[in-house]
Amino acid sequence: MEPAQFSTPLDLHNIQVKDGFWTRQQDLVTDKVLPYQWNALNDNLPDALPSYSMHNFRAAARIMEKKHRSQANATQSYTPPVYTYRGFEALPEDPAHPDPEQFYGFVFQDSDFSKWIEAVGYSLIRHPDPQLEKLADGAIDVVCAAQDDTGYLDTYYIVNGMDRAFTNLRDHHELYCLGHLLEGAISYYQATGKDKLLKAAERFADYCFTVFGENPDQKKGYPGHEIAEMALFRLYELTGEERYKKLASFFLDQRGTKPSYFRQEDYARAALDHTTYQPTEEKEHPTWFEATPYAYYQAHKPVREQTEAVGHAVRAVYLYSGMADAARINRDDKMLAACEALWNNITGEKLYITGGIGATHFGEAFSYGYDLPNDTAYSESCAAIGLIFFARRMLQIKPDRRYSDVMEQALYNTVMAGMDLTGTRFFYVNPLEANPLASLRDEHKHHVRTMRQKWFGCACCPPNIARLLSSLASYATTENENTLWNHLYVGSRIQKHLGSTDQNTHSGNDRENTSASHILVQEMTSALPWSGEVQVHLTGDGTKASASYRIPSWSRSTRITLQQGAESYELTLGAESSYSWPVSEDRLVFSYENGYFTVTGPIRDLTICLSFTLECRLVKASNRVREDAHKVCLVRGPLVYCLEEIDNGRDLHLLEIPLSQKGAAPVFTEEETSAFGYPVILVKTEGIRKKPDEIALYQDADAPEPAEETTLTFVPYYLWNNRGEGEMSVWIYKS
Amino acid sequence: MEPAQFSTPLDLHNIQVKDGFWTRQQDLVTDKVLPYQWNALNDNLPDALPSYSMHNFRAAARIMEKKHRSQANATQSYTPPVYTYRGFEALPEDPAHPDPEQFYGFVFQDSDFSKWIEAVGYSLIRHPDPQLEKLADGAIDVVCAAQDDTGYLDTYYIVNGMDRAFTNLRDHHELYCLGHLLEGAISYYQATGKDKLLKAAERFADYCFTVFGENPDQKKGYPGHEIAEMALFRLYELTGEERYKKLASFFLDQRGTKPSYFRQEDYARAALDHTTYQPTEEKEHPTWFEATPYAYYQAHKPVREQTEAVGHAVRAVYLYSGMADAARINRDDKMLAACEALWNNITGEKLYITGGIGATHFGEAFSYGYDLPNDTAYSESCAAIGLIFFARRMLQIKPDRRYSDVMEQALYNTVMAGMDLTGTRFFYVNPLEANPLASLRDEHKHHVRTMRQKWFGCACCPPNIARLLSSLASYATTENENTLWNHLYVGSRIQKHLGSTDQNTHSGNDRENTSASHILVQEMTSALPWSGEVQVHLTGDGTKASASYRIPSWSRSTRITLQQGAESYELTLGAESSYSWPVSEDRLVFSYENGYFTVTGPIRDLTICLSFTLECRLVKASNRVREDAHKVCLVRGPLVYCLEEIDNGRDLHLLEIPLSQKGAAPVFTEEETSAFGYPVILVKTEGIRKKPDEIALYQDADAPEPAEETTLTFVPYYLWNNRGEGEMSVWIYKS
């Protein structure tokens, strides 16, 4: 570990995004997703399942009010609620009249609010909006009124009885809700400087710090759904309070130790019920999950011993994100080694070319190595987002395009595919091959929707897309005292105070009071993803600083020109990821390491032009991936392309791209289309269409197979299903 | 319909099988399967789930005895049992001490006995065995003692309370048990002449005839799991009693009519419980099954309107078998048209090359057209057997090799694969591609076992294989008054009474008293499936008769020589299925129609040599089958071959058979091996093995892919997994 390479995400106040591609996405979040989501939180969507999130906070607030009234006035008796487990998703008997003192929906429904407030915070930084802020403040009042006097804040148990709080960490998501609450509260605090929610979230974290720990009277548990780890580290970095770092590290250290805490909980809950826990009988023919207890939760072995990414994919990458934070913050080499092993396992064996992860819908989980089915893929939007979280945290330890290339791949393809052009329809599952008939008739593919949905009962994906897109700048660029690392190319203006990182501190909005007077401004325009031209203009007072730019691995040859005053340079970088220049007497010094080109020196008025080779390429998968055998995929820069029925007709599996004639590389024609409301580049090439057989089901192998020449039309994968329902395929047979 | 072409299966007394291939299989059934199955019926298998079949009959017999005692002696009070539904599979609290008056196991457990006694009957004809017959007689005594005075005989309701009998036809299998009881009773009667069980079964059928029918006070229901239809027709053909034909036809006519009887039952049961039936809510995103109520049971529309094979595959082909019986017996053209449409749908779109059907494990059901996945295939052994039942009944209407080719395909491949070489291990599911790692880690493939099992909780397949193999001769040959139709080639000696069909009649073993004195004897030796030579010797008294032989469609050219006295002929038939000879003045007249070569004339001492072309062929699937795209399969005569890991190493998907060089057809080497305990022909050919990629998960499409020449070794599919666990694939990539 080289702490000199450590970096932190950019303070969103210091960056203004103005990008030909991304501004539109961020505006969609602000204009469409946030209001829509607020209605979802308040059960005001006519054709979507109610969230009950705000209902539950109000119910808990009523309970708390009764309790306080009885404490204030001894004559008013108060009977605390008795815990009643009503299944994983409790619904009102009469949906039109939910009981105002009952909890409804999934046990993790509190997090719906937290994800919304987090995105609201990011959005308010970009785009101040007093009305939205007032709405948010009102919601925060409700949430804070629901908090128990201990600091505990999970409405499921406040409503149903606190005597059972923290007795089912495996399934009941209280620490997951803590994690999201922290993320939301920090975002809103950073945006507005208002700390009411942050104080409440801290009180919940403080209470957890008393409940969980090494002492004999403390619980030795850890979250059933991870996120609290990275959220607590974020709180630690904001406040500097050691106890948050300690609690996050405790959760990580406890995870997967033997005897299993989750199993101990089973026995303890049975004892509370005055029964005896009966382990389920071992099956004669168990599934791998059944044979590997708690692998779904990544709790099958201690985290530093984990080398294969397994189980629920979102849980997994949320955990790995927390592990990467721990590796950096605690300078924990073993933790870092585990993170690297897990990263390599994912990207070497378990990553779709779209940046999606979690190949199977059973447990929304990672499958085994090289098992990457296209038509039954799960590839949850949230899992791709979690992979971006993990990547950013690895980049914070050490800039390396192995991380940022994948971050970009997941962002431009799977995350972007998760939302439609209108910002009102969403995919939870992101297949690489879709066929409406198969999704209708084949139950193996029933989870693969071939139309984006309005909302989901378990509405994790839309808010997750919202919070990622609205905080995109904090993924694009990280910094340390004197360096800006540009991982993604997002048109923007950045103002960096040299000699400090500009994260808000707990003492509030004192950004203006930092002692650093040296300011570096980076203005960037980017033509990505359609063209490879990036212009950067750096302005400073001549203080020595570094600016580092990722050279994407998809750019076979990158031309870089630099100009500052009379100094000017022109360089070309090839496919390799590192290069050494002779030590130069020039005033600007270059380095190129792990795919990052860095210029260091006194910066006054430096112009950098990066010209990436952004061309159509055909890619194949490792032949260990059975599902992609004999197939290729078209990529162009960061974008994966696909075939859609609307352009290419039905039976996409009958299309082929001819490659076998040596020397006859396919010719790709790029065409701008307005079919998607803004300029998008389509790709066309000559291919072959086999005619569907009309004869017997089986026939001699040498029976003729009539085929005709055809034009294949490819569109960016993220845009699929914006023009109606139909077949789609990322992979195409070669012949 | 041409009744002149109608035929009936051969009486098993009139055929002695002595075949190089099949005798071994039949002996395995007699020597291994029947004793094993008897132990299963009596819960005496140490490492298999108990059947409780005989236990339940004994429990019901105790109930009946109590009832009779109380009737005989008015002082002894008798309280009838009260119906208690204890789930689809009720198990004793203490497995070591089942309650002797309780019912256990699946609701259809009575049929375990019936399938056993049916196979016992067939086996006793082949191989008389007084000890086995005594055992069977004892079991029959128990079964008959369990029968209710009304004739009703299903132990689930006799034990749990007759007041709920026939209130859940959809799920509770009473009519399924009736069907199997009839099949078993007829077989045992035909074998031994003993009619105790037959009389009991007839009484049950008679009782059903009073319960179900057109009259207002009769139930309008039909079986939830079909089989009673074909069994009742069999009973009708045995006894000539019209009521059995009427009841079978009633069940068929009622099926799928609106309003749904099954739905009416839901309401009626709720009324019995003094509650109101609540239909389950319609889902926002239903599966096809959910959106097509009762398609699982083939009860979604009237049977004559059904043109697509859907739902549970075993149920489906059992239904279609009954429909084919009805078409023939009732001369019902609309029914025949439905049967033909269903046959064409199965064989044109839904048939694995192994003769397996039912592509999906969800509902053990047919999938949509051309959806024939290899690695998630269900292809249940029982479904292939049911397809053989359906084929034989279509052949009874009209001999056409479209039916018998498929019958042969299912028999030699899927049915044979269902049992191992020792007759003690079984496959329920018959995949066309297997990978132990995938079956362990991928829940989509968890149902695909990569080792045959000892037995199954729902033990339908092993007894079904037993009853089919032991009655194989009745599928190989059918007859009408003066014709023998040879559908399959099984070495045997057949004695046919000309002028009659020799089915037992209800009056008993009076075969010797038939008036026909003209006897035709057919002696056949067959080298199938290893070589295409079949010799037939027909001996008669010169009475005019016909003998008809299927020319398999896999034989591209068939040489036939015939010799009788001074007459001799030599013919060659090509790939077409019909041919007209000029009307000949010769004494023997030939015809060739629908793939059947028929010789007619006065037969005294006629020798026929059939020489089929039995060669290695590569076959491809219709390009509408996505899962077989760019792949071929090796077949040789009736046998489908496959690749196994033990011969070809791991990663079978990296093997290719080179076909693209024009004119360079692969050379196949046939080798006899003794690896399977008897001579088996392996096939070898030169192929290509790609080396597994060691580098990145994704790379440029033109990156080199090192490959080496290798010898591919194919074994007959039915023998896979007899030499340990490993990968297997029927389909191989071509290059």
Short mmCIF file of all heavy atoms in Angstrom, two decimals, chain A residues 570-593:
data_model
loop_
_atom_site.label_atom_id
_atom_site.label_comp_id
_atom_site.label_asym_id
_atom_site.label_seq_id
_atom_site.Cartn_x
_atom_site.Cartn_y
_atom_site.Cartn_z
N GLU A 570 3.82 16.50 -27.49
CA GLU A 570 2.88 15.61 -28.20
C GLU A 570 3.34 14.18 -27.96
O GLU A 570 4.50 13.85 -28.23
CB GLU A 570 2.87 15.95 -29.68
CG GLU A 570 1.81 15.19 -30.40
CD GLU A 570 1.61 15.67 -31.84
OE1 GLU A 570 1.79 16.87 -32.09
OE2 GLU A 570 1.29 14.82 -32.67
N LEU A 571 2.46 13.38 -27.44
CA LEU A 571 2.81 12.02 -27.06
C LEU A 571 1.78 11.06 -27.66
O LEU A 571 0.63 11.44 -27.87
CB LEU A 571 2.75 11.82 -25.55
CG LEU A 571 3.30 12.93 -24.66
CD1 LEU A 571 2.77 12.76 -23.25
CD2 LEU A 571 4.82 12.86 -24.70
N THR A 572 2.20 9.83 -27.87
CA THR A 572 1.24 8.80 -28.25
C THR A 572 1.43 7.59 -27.36
O THR A 572 2.56 7.10 -27.21
CB THR A 572 1.42 8.40 -29.72
OG1 THR A 572 1.25 9.57 -30.52
CG2 THR A 572 0.41 7.34 -30.13
N LEU A 573 0.35 7.16 -26.75
CA LEU A 573 0.40 5.97 -25.89
C LEU A 573 -0.29 4.82 -26.62
O LEU A 573 -1.36 4.99 -27.20
CB LEU A 573 -0.30 6.24 -24.56
CG LEU A 573 0.31 7.35 -23.71
CD1 LEU A 573 -0.56 7.64 -22.50
CD2 LEU A 573 1.72 6.96 -23.28
N GLY A 574 0.35 3.67 -26.55
CA GLY A 574 -0.22 2.49 -27.22
C GLY A 574 -1.11 1.70 -26.28
O GLY A 574 -1.70 2.26 -25.35
N ALA A 575 -1.18 0.42 -26.52
CA ALA A 575 -2.11 -0.41 -25.76
C ALA A 575 -1.59 -0.73 -24.36
O ALA A 575 -2.36 -1.06 -23.47
CB ALA A 575 -2.38 -1.71 -26.52
N GLU A 576 -0.27 -0.66 -24.18
CA GLU A 576 0.30 -1.00 -22.87
C GLU A 576 -0.21 -0.01 -21.81
O GLU A 576 -0.65 1.09 -22.13
CB GLU A 576 1.83 -1.02 -22.94
CG GLU A 576 2.48 0.35 -23.07
CD GLU A 576 2.28 1.00 -24.44
OE1 GLU A 576 1.78 0.31 -25.38
OE2 GLU A 576 2.61 2.18 -24.58
N SER A 577 -0.08 -0.38 -20.55
CA SER A 577 -0.66 0.48 -19.51
C SER A 577 0.41 1.29 -18.77
O SER A 577 0.06 2.09 -17.91
CB SER A 577 -1.46 -0.36 -18.52
OG SER A 577 -0.59 -1.20 -17.80
N SER A 578 1.66 1.08 -19.07
CA SER A 578 2.70 1.85 -18.39
C SER A 578 3.79 2.22 -19.39
O SER A 578 3.98 1.55 -20.41
CB SER A 578 3.30 1.05 -17.23
OG SER A 578 2.33 0.81 -16.25
N TYR A 579 4.51 3.28 -19.09
CA TYR A 579 5.58 3.74 -19.97
C TYR A 579 6.47 4.64 -19.14
O TYR A 579 6.00 5.35 -18.23
CB TYR A 579 4.98 4.53 -21.15
CG TYR A 579 6.01 5.03 -22.13
CD1 TYR A 579 6.55 4.17 -23.09
CD2 TYR A 579 6.44 6.36 -22.10
CE1 TYR A 579 7.51 4.62 -23.99
CE2 TYR A 579 7.38 6.82 -23.01
CZ TYR A 579 7.91 5.95 -23.94
OH TYR A 579 8.84 6.41 -24.83
N SER A 580 7.78 4.60 -19.42
CA SER A 580 8.69 5.49 -18.68
C SER A 580 9.33 6.48 -19.64
O SER A 580 9.89 6.08 -20.66
CB SER A 580 9.79 4.68 -18.00
OG SER A 580 9.28 4.04 -16.88
N TRP A 581 9.23 7.73 -19.28
CA TRP A 581 9.95 8.74 -20.05
C TRP A 581 11.31 8.95 -19.38
O TRP A 581 11.42 8.82 -18.15
CB TRP A 581 9.19 10.07 -20.05
CG TRP A 581 8.06 10.07 -21.02
CD1 TRP A 581 8.11 10.47 -22.32
CD2 TRP A 581 6.72 9.69 -20.76
NE1 TRP A 581 6.86 10.34 -22.91
CE2 TRP A 581 5.98 9.85 -21.96
CE3 TRP A 581 6.04 9.18 -19.65
CZ2 TRP A 581 4.64 9.55 -22.08
CZ3 TRP A 581 4.70 8.88 -19.77
CH2 TRP A 581 4.00 9.07 -20.97
N PRO A 582 12.32 9.31 -20.18
CA PRO A 582 13.59 9.67 -19.55
C PRO A 582 13.35 10.87 -18.63
O PRO A 582 12.51 11.73 -18.93
CB PRO A 582 14.50 10.06 -20.72
CG PRO A 582 13.70 9.95 -21.95
CD PRO A 582 12.34 9.44 -21.62
N VAL A 583 14.07 10.88 -17.51
CA VAL A 583 13.89 12.01 -16.62
C VAL A 583 14.21 13.28 -17.40
O VAL A 583 15.25 13.40 -18.04
CB VAL A 583 14.79 11.90 -15.38
CG1 VAL A 583 14.68 13.16 -14.53
CG2 VAL A 583 14.41 10.68 -14.56
N SER A 584 13.30 14.18 -17.36
CA SER A 584 13.39 15.33 -18.26
C SER A 584 13.76 16.57 -17.48
O SER A 584 13.41 16.72 -16.30
CB SER A 584 12.04 15.50 -18.94
OG SER A 584 11.83 16.82 -19.30
N GLU A 585 14.49 17.46 -18.11
CA GLU A 585 14.75 18.74 -17.46
C GLU A 585 13.57 19.69 -17.67
O GLU A 585 13.56 20.81 -17.17
CB GLU A 585 16.06 19.37 -17.94
CG GLU A 585 16.09 19.73 -19.39
CD GLU A 585 16.60 18.58 -20.27
OE1 GLU A 585 16.12 17.42 -20.12
OE2 GLU A 585 17.46 18.83 -21.12
N ASP A 586 12.62 19.23 -18.47
CA ASP A 586 11.47 20.09 -18.70
C ASP A 586 10.74 20.39 -17.42
O ASP A 586 10.82 19.64 -16.45
CB ASP A 586 10.50 19.40 -19.68
CG ASP A 586 11.10 19.37 -21.08
OD1 ASP A 586 11.69 20.40 -21.48
OD2 ASP A 586 11.00 18.33 -21.72
N ARG A 587 9.96 21.40 -17.45
CA ARG A 587 9.29 21.81 -16.22
C ARG A 587 8.09 20.93 -15.93
O ARG A 587 7.74 20.73 -14.78
CB ARG A 587 8.90 23.28 -16.34
CG ARG A 587 10.18 24.13 -16.50
CD ARG A 587 9.94 25.57 -16.41
NE ARG A 587 9.25 25.91 -15.17
CZ ARG A 587 8.53 27.02 -15.03
NH1 ARG A 587 8.42 27.84 -16.05
NH2 ARG A 587 7.96 27.29 -13.89
N LEU A 588 7.46 20.42 -16.98
CA LEU A 588 6.36 19.49 -16.74
C LEU A 588 6.91 18.06 -16.86
O LEU A 588 7.63 17.75 -17.81
CB LEU A 588 5.24 19.69 -17.75
CG LEU A 588 4.49 21.01 -17.65
CD1 LEU A 588 3.43 21.11 -18.74
CD2 LEU A 588 3.85 21.19 -16.28
N VAL A 589 6.58 17.24 -15.89
CA VAL A 589 7.07 15.86 -15.87
C VAL A 589 5.89 14.93 -16.08
O VAL A 589 4.82 15.14 -15.52
CB VAL A 589 7.76 15.57 -14.52
CG1 VAL A 589 8.22 14.12 -14.47
CG2 VAL A 589 8.92 16.52 -14.32
N PHE A 590 6.12 13.91 -16.93
CA PHE A 590 5.04 12.96 -17.24
C PHE A 590 5.34 11.60 -16.66
O PHE A 590 6.50 11.19 -16.59
CB PHE A 590 4.88 12.79 -18.76
CG PHE A 590 4.83 14.09 -19.49
CD1 PHE A 590 5.61 14.29 -20.63
CD2 PHE A 590 4.01 15.13 -19.04
CE1 PHE A 590 5.56 15.50 -21.31
CE2 PHE A 590 3.96 16.32 -19.72
CZ PHE A 590 4.74 16.52 -20.85
N SER A 591 4.30 10.94 -16.28
CA SER A 591 4.45 9.52 -15.97
C SER A 591 3.22 8.79 -16.50
O SER A 591 2.16 9.39 -16.70
CB SER A 591 4.60 9.32 -14.46
OG SER A 591 3.39 9.63 -13.81
N TYR A 592 3.42 7.52 -16.74
CA TYR A 592 2.30 6.71 -17.23
C TYR A 592 2.39 5.35 -16.54
O TYR A 592 3.31 4.57 -16.79
CB TYR A 592 2.38 6.54 -18.75
CG TYR A 592 1.19 5.79 -19.33
CD1 TYR A 592 -0.12 6.11 -18.95
CD2 TYR A 592 1.36 4.74 -20.24
CE1 TYR A 592 -1.20 5.42 -19.46
CE2 TYR A 592 0.28 4.06 -20.78
CZ TYR A 592 -1.00 4.40 -20.37
OH TYR A 592 -2.07 3.71 -20.87
N GLU A 593 1.48 5.12 -15.66
CA GLU A 593 1.56 3.93 -14.82
C GLU A 593 0.15 3.40 -14.59
O GLU A 593 -0.77 4.16 -14.28
CB GLU A 593 2.19 4.31 -13.48
CG GLU A 593 2.80 3.15 -12.76
CD GLU A 593 3.37 3.55 -11.39
OE1 GLU A 593 3.43 4.76 -11.10
OE2 GLU A 593 3.72 2.65 -10.64
#
